Amino acid sequence: MEKSKVYFTKDISSEGLIKIYKKLNKELTGKVAVKLHSGEKGNQNYLKPEFVKDIIEHVKGTVVECNTAYEGARNSTEKHIKLMEEHGWSKYFKVDILDSENETTLECPNGIKIKKNIVGEKMKNYNSMLVLSHFKGHPMGGFGGALKNISIGLASSEGKSYIHTGGKERATFEELMNANQEDFITSMADAASTITEYYKNNIAYINAMVNLSVDCDCCQEAEDPCMKDVGLLASLDPVAIDQACIDLIYNSTDPGKDKIIERIETKNGLLILESAKQLGMGSRDYELKNID
């Protein structure tokens, strides 16, 4: 069986993003959603609009996001739209909060832990998706990349809570924060599988290994990066691209990697890769093709 291809470049620039995307030889057709992280208010590490402007314009995309399930500047549509204006997203792009009006359910009959995924209803307005992820650590998931971006990232506010708690309806914030870790990670893989099934071959992934902190862009006061920037990766396989990022961290000579590895391992973060593979989303075996 042919290995999944993951492209890599050290050219961390707007030009590099377009160059690595073109290597996928994949045209995203129809109305294109670009899923990225808008960045919590106060966060300093999220990908900035100026950096991703050219690639979003290249695919003629609309920036899409969903509301959060915890306190902050993104837990309501009104606040989220205001923050996206403050962070510059609305200055450059059409912006769409997918769960601003309603939710819809994507079935997951073969899910390991959960059998459905609750997403914003407006996701159905898009024919294809570019998943533009800032790869970094995460306080709860261990790490965040493509798989997290299409699972928790695309879940509605209620859907985020449902994933975090391994399938509990209308969970309280306390239940969300104290949920079983393995159930949470596995549920993320289940949710991600509904997105790849929904878009089928009309989805592509780019991971930016920059501002490598142990914390996520959802943290208002994130730790500063502990590793030097690594590069950009692109693939049509969400499992392979996240696995490649993990391998680049583990194989790095940067001493700061120890902090990210500790975060990943203490949160059992690698479980999402094995769960996603089990669900048939992709392969942990890949060919890394350097395009520099």
Side-chain angles (χ1 to χ4, degrees):
M1 185 176 178
E2 187 177 356
K3 293 181 179 179
S4 295
K5 289 184 175 62
V6 179
Y7 296 92
F8 173 75
T9 179
K10 293 181 180 178
D11 180 7
I12 304 171
S13 66
S14 297
E15 295 78 14
L17 282 169
I18 292 178
K19 179 172 65 175
I20 201 165
Y21 171 74
K22 286 182 175 179
K23 280 293 180 180
L24 296 176
N25 195 28
K26 178 68 181 176
E27 182 183 0
L28 295 174
T29 58
K31 194 172 180 182
V32 181
V34 179
K35 176 62 183 76
L36 47 73
H37 199 300
S38 51
E40 184 56 73
K41 188 177 182 68
N43 186 277
Q44 77 278 24
N45 294 328
Y46 68 96
L47 301 181
K48 303 302 188 290
E50 293 76 13
F51 174 55
V52 297
K53 181 174 181 290
D54 289 351
I55 185 63
I56 294 174
E57 290 179 348
H58 181 76
V59 300
K60 299 179 174 62
T62 297
V63 170
V64 302
E65 258 283 34
C66 291
N67 294 320
T68 63
Y70 49 82
E71 288 300 317
R74 299 181 300 131
N75 66 345
S76 74
T77 298
E78 183 180 6
K79 288 196 293 182
H80 205 163
I81 289 174
K82 182 181 178 182
L83 183 67
M84 294 192 88
E85 290 173 351
E86 292 175 1
H87 281 183
W89 298 109
S90 305
K91 175 182 176 181
Y92 297 110
F93 318 111
K94 294 179 182 177
V95 171
D96 197 2
I97 308 298
L98 298 183
D99 61 336
S100 62
E101 296 173 5
N102 246 316
E103 299 171 326
T104 190
T105 297
L106 301 179
E107 300 301 326
C108 185
N110 299 317
I112 301 168
K113 180 62 184 178
I114 57 175
K115 304 300 180 183
K116 67 177 181 180
N117 183 26
I118 308 167
V119 300
E121 187 177 54
K122 290 199 285 184
M123 194 180 84
K124 293 184 175 180
N125 295 338
Y126 297 90
N127 307 105
S128 56
M129 179 172 284
L130 175 63
V131 183
L132 188 52
S133 305
H134 173 208
F135 192 92
K136 67 282 177 190
H138 192 275
M140 297 183 74
F143 74 91
L147 291 168
K148 180 183 177 294
N149 204 0
I150 62 172
S151 56
I152 285 288
L154 277 172
S156 67
S157 182
E158 175 63 26
K160 286 178 171 62
S161 177
Y162 189 79
I163 293 168
H164 266 286
T165 56
K168 185 173 179 59
E169 304 275 0
R170 297 177 184 81
T172 65
F173 182 74
E174 184 178 358
E175 288 172 325
L176 190 152
M177 290 293 107
N178 294 291
N180 178 276
Q181 184 69 9
E182 185 170 314
D183 288 348
F184 163 50
I185 300 289
T186 306
S187 295
M188 276 207 293
D190 289 336
S193 72
T194 69
I195 303 302
T196 57
E197 174 62 24
Y198 181 81
Y199 284 108
K200 299 191 185 298
N201 296 321
N202 295 312
I203 188 166
Y205 307 88
I206 296 176
N207 281 4
M209 296 186 72
V210 299
N211 298 336
L212 287 156
S213 169
V214 297
D215 286 334
C216 179
D217 300 341
C218 56
C219 298
Q220 187 171 359
E221 296 181 7
E223 283 197 28
D224 287 332
C226 56
M227 283 183 69
K228 293 180 180 177
D229 293 348
V230 176
L232 307 174
L233 296 89
S235 184
L236 299 178
D237 182 335
V239 182
I241 193 172
D242 278 1
Q243 182 68 64
C245 290
I246 289 291
D247 291 341
L248 284 167
I249 288 174
Y250 273 73
N251 294 328
S252 172
T253 58
D254 190 324
K257 73 177 186 179
D258 292 343
K259 291 187 71 175
I260 296 183
I261 290 173
E262 180 185 19
R263 174 61 58 85
I264 292 168
E265 294 183 350
T266 55
K267 298 298 180 181
N268 200 12
L270 300 182
L271 177 61
I272 195 172
L273 296 170
E274 189 57 33
S275 298
K277 174 188 171 184
Q278 182 181 335
L279 289 161
M281 291 179 62
S283 174
R284 298 183 71 177
D285 194 16
Y286 62 91
E287 179 184 2
L288 190 66
K289 300 176 75 70
N290 194 319
I291 66 169
D292 287 343

